[in-house]
Amino acid sequence: MWKRIFVVVCTSTILSSFGTAASPLYGRADLAVKHEWALVPHKWEWQGPAPANHHVDLRIGLKQGKLDELIATLYEVSDPIHARYGQHLTKTQAEALVAPTEETTQAIHDWLDFHGVDLSSIAYSPAGDWLSLQLPLAQVETMLSTKYHTYRHLETKDTVVRTLSYSLPRALHDHIDVIHPTTMFGSMRDFRATFHVTDDSARSDTVVASNGTTVKGPAGQDIPVSCNTTVTPACLQALYRTEGYVPKAANKGNRIGIAGYLEQFVNFADLQTFFTMFRPDAVGANVTVISVDGGLNDQTMPGDEANLDTQYTEGLTFPTPNVYYTTPGTAPTINDSVTPPQRDEPYIDWLQFVLSHDDMPQTFTTSYGGDERACNLFAQLGARGASVMFSSGDGGVGAGTCGTNDGTNRTIFQPVFPATCPFVTSVGATFHIAPERGIDFSQGGFSVYFPRPLYQEAAVPPFLNRLGSTYAGLFNPAGRGVPDVSAQGEGFQVVVGGRVESVGGTSASSPTFAGIISLLNDFRISQGKPSLGFLNPLLYSVGAPAFTDITLGNNPGCGTPGFNATEGWDAITGLGTPDFVNFQELLGRL
């Protein structure tokens, strides 16, 4: 349902509410729109004016002083043929590159002071590039020359307070990247679709037995035939050839991190049951849970997503330490007398928490989304030596939303952020063995926001050439291609509440690929070498031969068959699935 909303604001009245003194910098004539929507975003509907007593947890993302230098450094330390390969930045070095200039900080302080904000109430990110403060809605409307309204999601029934347009003095446009909450309507609950229970009616405490029957994998290895439909850690170890590798760098700092939101709690009893059934040598091991900004881990509420992530990362990487970050984040709510404060943007909380520490895991996996501005925070993680994996999504070519929001309602293929961020490794999904196939829900395509990065310049054009004029006008051929890689994503055996569920989705693929990268980091660190860091420049160059190319499958959506898996990179399985032994041989030469 689409509704056109017209917002009229009497700016002169608003500005006079904080005094009569005129300011040439912040006056009415100086205002210019920072961002606006022509229509209410897809799947949202207007409900009415925002509550008069509403308070806003305002976040202001400032222009980062030397962002270009940070990104240039990221690519240099991530390029296996560059002299700086592996020379990752320290926390202090990275923060020095993203800190805003004194001019930017002063301009923002002057603006906030002009609008009566107590500067001592502001909280800052470690680099000072994000400001957080809580203000009455009426004051925020004055500052942004706008009017907020209440909107409801048609499917999830989530309710948010947002605006369709906001303005800033022209002099501030070059100092402020984004302000939230304003015009971003994304709900984290949408990302629940990255996993699903595949056989909910047949839950049991047993799994399909292989009866000793095996098939040959791409490298001639024996794989239990049961892995065609029932995936366990043993299946993944055999398929991706990690079987027999024993991590050696657990006492040298190698760790893997899992980001959790949406009140997804990892259950310790379920983890032990999983180990007993599928990884007996790991019985007694556990995952370390770190609370971010008051995040909980309620043992009475085992989560499918949290259990899937931790059971398979630890199932693949034991005895490597696993760290689960629990960040409070639920669907957006109205902050009034009967509902809790909004926590609909916890992603920035998690990123800032991790970046605030000198020491952090070398590998991360997560399946949730956030604001495009977070992309620059991932660049910081990569520059500091972390490899970041994301589920590509489960929407085929459409991400569940095939229409534009610019008033034309054109059909367009839209892969989702953060998989589209050029500084992360996006992971699509496969199923079956001998051979593996791209699965229909594996989300892939081309970003309409981020241009194609240099590391994809050789791999992506051949796919586009084979595609020809098919789907012309439905996607951005110059955009960043998704996914980068893929891994199994269907039939994962997960223990939830003491019982086995069969779970699928790219949320299974991402921790699987991340587990293999963590083992490769272990291999590197045990040899006295630095961690892999940002992966993509390596994967798309000398790393490409270490993948098993997937040439079967397609990802339908938007009323089309979607893209086909083909030789080389494609927009359903990326470069393919990993071969651990091949990667070991490659990394041993770097």
Side-chain angles (χ1 to χ4, degrees):
M1 181 177 182
W2 298 81
K3 292 186 179 180
R4 185 176 299 273
I5 305 294
F6 296 93
V7 179
V8 179
V9 178
C10 184
T11 312
S12 58
T13 301
I14 291 176
L15 289 176
S16 66
S17 66
F18 280 93
T20 58
S23 169
L25 180 62
Y26 309 126
R28 174 184 177 186
D30 187 58
L31 292 172
V33 172
K34 181 68 174 176
H35 185 259
E36 66 180 345
W37 294 115
L39 302 169
V40 176
H42 184 64
K43 294 185 179 179
W44 292 90
E45 65 177 359
W46 179 79
Q47 292 288 289
N53 62 344
H54 188 73
H55 276 67
V56 178
D57 290 323
L58 199 68
R59 296 172 181 269
I60 305 174
L62 305 187
K63 189 73 67 175
Q64 294 163 318
K66 299 179 181 178
L67 180 62
D68 290 345
E69 186 176 339
L70 173 79
I71 293 173
T73 300
L74 170 68
Y75 281 116
E76 289 175 357
V77 301
S78 307
D79 183 350
I81 64 174
H82 197 280
R84 294 186 65 187
Y85 181 61
Q87 298 177 24
H88 304 124
L89 301 182
T90 65
K91 173 179 179 289
T92 301
Q93 290 171 331
E95 288 176 356
L97 295 179
V98 299
T101 65
E102 291 185 10
E103 179 187 4
T104 290
T105 301
Q106 188 61 55
I108 303 308
H109 283 174
D110 289 346
W111 174 61
L112 294 174
D113 183 62
F114 174 80
H115 285 285
V117 174
D118 178 4
L119 300 185
S120 66
S121 68
I122 301 173
Y124 298 86
S125 65
D129 55 337
W130 279 93
L131 277 60
S132 301
L133 57 160
Q134 189 175 84
L135 297 172
L137 180 65
Q139 188 173 2
V140 175
E141 290 178 332
T142 298
M143 294 165 57
L144 304 182
S145 188
T146 191
K147 194 72 177 175
Y148 280 76
H149 295 263
T150 302
Y151 300 88
R152 186 179 67 174
H153 196 279
L154 294 174
E155 295 177 356
T156 67
K157 309 307 179 185
D158 295 339
T159 306
V160 298
V161 172
R162 293 292 188 272
T163 179
L164 295 185
S165 173
Y166 73 100
S167 298
L168 292 170
R170 294 182 190 276
L172 294 183
H173 279 234
D174 289 337
H175 296 294
I176 293 178
D177 280 340
V178 66
I179 296 180
H180 179 82
T182 51
T183 56
M184 196 190 82
F185 280 73
S187 166
M188 291 191 71
R189 188 176 291 186
D190 293 341
F191 287 82
R192 288 187 187 275
T194 57
F195 80 91
H196 53 267
V197 177
T198 58
D199 192 11
D200 192 52
S201 63
R203 294 185 185 181
S204 68
D205 294 324
T206 61
V207 297
V208 177
S210 67
N211 298 320
T213 306
T214 62
V215 294
K216 294 295 182 181
Q221 75 273 36
D222 289 330
I223 307 172
V225 70
S226 60
C227 297
N228 256 316
T229 55
T230 307
V231 176
T232 66
C235 291
L236 300 174
Q237 288 174 319
L239 181 59
Y240 300 136
R241 298 214 287 168
T242 68
E243 196 171 24
Y245 180 82
V246 179
K248 307 174 185 64
N251 62 347
K252 295 182 179 180
N254 188 45
R255 290 173 292 161
I256 181 170
I258 306 101
Y261 308 98
L262 295 173
E263 296 182 343
Q264 279 283 320
F265 305 133
V266 56
N267 187 271
F268 302 139
D270 284 344
L271 183 61
Q272 295 308 311
T273 302
F274 179 84
F275 286 155
T276 299
M277 298 180 68
F278 303 118
R279 189 72 199 257
D281 61 325
V283 171
N286 211 335
V287 59
T288 299
V289 175
I290 294 180
S291 172
V292 178
D293 199 20
L296 303 177
N297 192 47
D298 190 337
Q299 292 300 289
T300 68
M301 299 173 60
D304 295 70
E305 175 75 52
N307 280 3
L308 165 65
D309 287 345
T310 54
Q311 288 172 18
Y312 276 86
T313 53
E314 191 141 22
L316 285 172
T317 66
F318 173 79
T320 301
N322 280 228
V323 180
Y324 185 80
Y325 296 88
T326 174
T327 305
T330 60
T333 59
I334 300 300
N335 182 20
D336 56 23
S337 59
V338 295
T339 54
Q342 293 191 83
R343 301 305 300 265
D344 58 320
E345 272 302 300
Y347 216 177
I348 301 298
D349 293 340
W350 175 75
L351 282 163
Q352 291 180 352
F353 177 86
V354 172
L355 287 168
S356 70
H357 290 75
D358 290 307
D359 185 32
M360 61 184 181
Q362 294 83 355
T363 310
F364 290 98
T365 177
T366 188
S367 307
Y368 306 91
D371 191 320
E372 276 80 355
R373 168 63 191 270
C375 192
N376 294 341
L377 295 175
F378 296 124
Q380 291 184 58
L381 283 177
R384 289 180 55 185
S387 304
V388 183
M389 265 62 64
F390 272 96
S391 306
S392 71
D394 289 3
V397 295
T401 303
C402 297
T404 61
N405 194 43
D406 58 3
T408 64
N409 200 25
R410 294 178 294 110
T411 298
I412 189 170
F413 299 164
Q414 300 184 83
V416 297
F417 183 84
T420 55
C421 173
F423 310 131
V424 306
T425 300
S426 58
V427 187
T430 61
F431 73 129
H432 288 177
I433 56 174
E436 284 186 270
R437 304 170 58 97
I439 200 165
D440 56 359
F441 59 71
S442 182
Q443 193 159 292
F446 302 86
S447 174
V448 297
Y449 187 89
F450 297 104
R452 183 190 307 151
L454 184 61
Y455 57 74
Q456 288 190 323
E457 282 300 326
V460 171
F463 174 78
L464 295 172
N465 291 338
R466 284 190 292 268
L467 193 65
S469 61
T470 304
Y471 304 141
L474 294 180
F475 68 95
N476 173 26
R480 186 264 203 264
V482 174
D484 297 303
V485 298
S486 53
Q488 287 281 306
E490 187 76 336
F492 279 55
Q493 303 306 291
V494 179
V495 178
V496 182
R499 307 176 68 187
V500 175
E501 292 182 350
S502 187
V503 177
T506 53
S507 282
S509 309
S510 183
T512 297
F513 191 84
I516 293 167
I517 294 302
S518 184
L519 294 180
L520 291 172
N521 272 326
D522 177 274
F523 175 69
R524 293 268 294 174
I525 294 170
S526 67
Q527 293 186 326
K529 298 178 180 178
S531 60
L532 291 170
F534 176 42
L535 294 171
N536 295 4
L538 167 71
L539 303 184
Y540 280 91
S541 57
V542 298
F547 286 92
T548 298
D549 194 10
I550 308 300
T551 59
L552 299 172
N554 64 296
N555 55 353
C558 302
T560 75
F563 296 116
N564 292 320
T566 63
E567 182 180 351
W569 182 92
D570 57 67
I572 174 174
T573 65
L575 295 168
T577 57
D579 185 308
F580 179 76
V581 174
N582 287 348
F583 265 110
Q584 265 190 296
E585 295 174 355
L586 164 70
L587 294 177
R589 300 191 296 268
L590 294 179

